[in-house]
Amino acid sequence: MFLKSLLSISVTVFYLFTAISSLTVLIFCLLQSGVLQISSAIASSTKQHHLFPLWHLCGRSLQMEMVKKRRAPDVADESGGPKKECQEPTQSSRPDAPLASKLRKKINAEPGPPPAEPCVPDIEDWCPAGWQQVLENVRSMRAARDAAVDRMGAESFAADPQVVTPELARLHVLVSLMLSSQTRDEINHAAMTRLKAAGLSVPWLLQVDQGQLAQLIKPVGFWRRKAEYLKKTVRILQDEYAGDIPPSVESLCKLPGVGPKMAHLCMNIAWKQVSGIGVDTHVHRISNRLGWVRRPTATPERTRLALQAWLPRQHWSEINLLLVGFGQQICTPVAPRCGDCLNFSLCPSARLSPKKPKR
């Protein structure tokens, strides 16, 4: 009986000693190598003694959780706000910095999403080959100036002989540009004609009912919203600019419904100041077709930045009217008339067309 008890005590002491040894190994690894080496140390210990499978499982879980956290791009803010990028501990605050650095390099080497397109896709020392000849050909094709934009665009309201004051002419230009978005020139011109017949001016816009104004500009695109924008804009003009329109791109862009395209066109047409290129859908489409942007652009605003990066400033004032009329008559959105274009042999997009130039 005594030997049996002694043997039982010996086995208990052996198991206790093994547990203490495993715990000592775990603490040692924690201090020396960091959390990521704990699981391997525990696995080695348990493999030798076939003990503590639960600890081994916990070590593997710890390792997997650490890797997942390091791979995660960001975490949600506790307050429910926007996500913030995870901050890695510095080398001074973490004993396993060398090992963590290797893991970071391995994770960062994995392929991620492609980088976003930069705001300015062109550089100043780049320009498209043969652009001077292309521009001269467009001028030749637009010599008649008989496109819809020539007869009914905002420029026609700036030169209206019936307008008696420069302030009123500038107002007509601004209103015409505000109505022109998502609207054909013919519809926009008809709406402006109705407004002028009703007495289009700052005092008239202040007193006219918004519903009546909406009916006058209908059917321009988004006519209800544009009527609201006009009522808000004329109040700003009266209170802040003494009935005139703002004299800068920055102040024009603060008006409801006015973006960079309208602002630059308004500065050019109404104030006779070249502040930038007005890029609408025609200029955006044609610039990409001609290869006048270093890389294809997705929006008119990026096209504007791309053009301004290389096109000499003396051409900025004419380029909008030239390309808009060219887009209405020759380089149309659907089925462009490449066979009638003088730039057939110079345009990279014309080579995709089966038509040949007429002789």
Side-chain angles (χ1 to χ4, degrees):
M1 178 64 88
F2 174 78
L3 290 176
K4 198 173 187 179
S5 300
L6 182 60
L7 181 60
S8 176
I9 292 173
S10 300
V11 171
T12 303
V13 171
F14 172 78
Y15 277 96
L16 182 61
F17 175 80
T18 305
I20 294 174
S21 299
S22 299
L23 183 59
T24 303
V25 171
L26 183 137
I27 296 174
F28 178 80
C29 291
L30 179 62
L31 295 176
Q32 294 296 322
S33 304
V35 176
L36 288 179
Q37 291 186 355
I38 294 175
S39 59
S40 61
I42 297 176
S44 176
S45 175
T46 54
K47 187 175 181 181
Q48 288 182 359
H49 304 288
H50 305 284
L51 297 173
F52 304 105
L54 182 59
W55 286 17
H56 176 68
L57 180 60
C58 292
R60 292 293 297 173
S61 300
L62 268 175
Q63 183 179 3
M64 293 177 65
E65 285 298 322
M66 289 297 294
V67 172
K68 286 181 181 178
K69 288 182 179 180
R70 288 170 182 271
R71 288 175 184 262
D74 49 22
V75 294
D77 187 14
E78 292 180 359
S79 61
K83 295 183 178 181
K84 300 179 180 179
E85 186 176 355
C86 293
Q87 296 181 351
E88 293 288 345
T90 59
Q91 184 172 358
S92 59
S93 64
R94 209 176 70 190
D96 63 331
L99 180 64
S101 177
K102 292 180 181 179
L103 182 61
R104 278 199 300 272
K105 290 180 180 178
K106 182 178 179 181
I107 294 174
N108 292 337
E110 295 181 357
E117 181 183 356
C119 291
V120 184
D122 292 87
I123 55 177
E124 295 181 358
D125 59 350
W126 176 88
C127 64
W131 69 269
Q132 296 96 331
Q133 184 61 51
V134 172
L135 181 59
E136 191 59 38
N137 289 341
V138 173
R139 288 193 183 118
S140 299
M141 290 182 283
R142 291 277 290 118
R145 299 287 175 158
D146 54 355
V149 68
D150 300 308
R151 296 176 282 106
M152 306 177 189
E155 288 84 356
S156 64
F157 299 104
D160 189 350
Q162 298 180 357
V163 179
V164 294
T165 64
E167 293 81 6
L168 185 58
R170 289 192 286 268
L171 174 68
H172 286 191
V173 170
L174 176 61
V175 173
S176 173
L177 289 171
M178 292 179 68
L179 298 181
S180 67
S181 62
Q182 305 294 319
T183 305
R184 296 177 57 188
D185 286 324
E186 295 84 355
I187 297 176
N188 184 52
H189 187 269
M192 282 296 299
T193 301
R194 292 191 295 271
L195 289 176
K196 289 171 62 178
L200 178 60
S201 64
V202 170
W204 179 83
L205 284 172
L206 287 172
Q207 61 86 25
V208 70
D209 179 71
Q210 182 173 319
Q212 181 184 352
L213 179 61
Q215 291 300 318
L216 285 171
I217 65 175
K218 183 182 178 181
V220 300
F222 305 102
W223 49 277
R224 289 189 180 90
R225 185 179 301 174
K226 288 178 180 178
E228 178 184 352
Y229 287 161
L230 285 174
K231 291 293 289 184
K232 292 180 179 179
T233 294
V234 72
R235 174 55 60 187
I236 296 174
L237 301 185
Q238 180 67 23
D239 295 344
E240 301 182 17
Y241 300 98
D244 207 343
I245 69 173
S248 68
V249 172
E250 293 75 13
S251 53
L252 282 167
C253 286
K254 293 179 181 179
L255 298 177
V258 176
K261 180 203 78 171
M262 296 181 194
H264 288 298
L265 287 176
C266 193
M267 291 298 299
N268 187 23
I269 300 170
W271 290 107
K272 309 300 180 185
Q273 298 179 16
V274 179
S275 58
I277 301 174
V279 177
D280 65 352
T281 56
H282 291 290
V283 180
H284 170 62
R285 178 184 70 256
I286 295 171
S287 297
N288 279 269
R289 284 181 177 177
L290 291 174
W292 277 12
V293 289
R294 188 175 177 88
R295 288 180 294 274
T297 52
T299 62
E301 179 60 14
R302 290 192 175 185
T303 301
R304 179 183 73 84
L305 296 173
L307 287 174
Q308 292 180 180
W310 67 267
L311 185 66
R313 194 178 183 89
Q314 64 264 28
H315 302 301
W316 288 11
S317 61
E318 66 169 339
I319 201 67
N320 176 270
L321 190 60
L322 275 177
L323 294 187
V324 169
F326 179 59
Q328 291 176 343
Q329 295 180 315
I330 303 290
C331 195
T332 52
V334 180
R337 296 166 53 192
C338 296
D340 299 329
C341 182
L342 298 179
N343 290 320
F344 179 85
S345 60
L346 301 174
C347 177
S349 301
R351 300 190 186 103
L352 305 176
S353 174
K355 290 186 178 182
K356 300 295 182 182
K358 295 181 179 179
R359 299 187 182 275

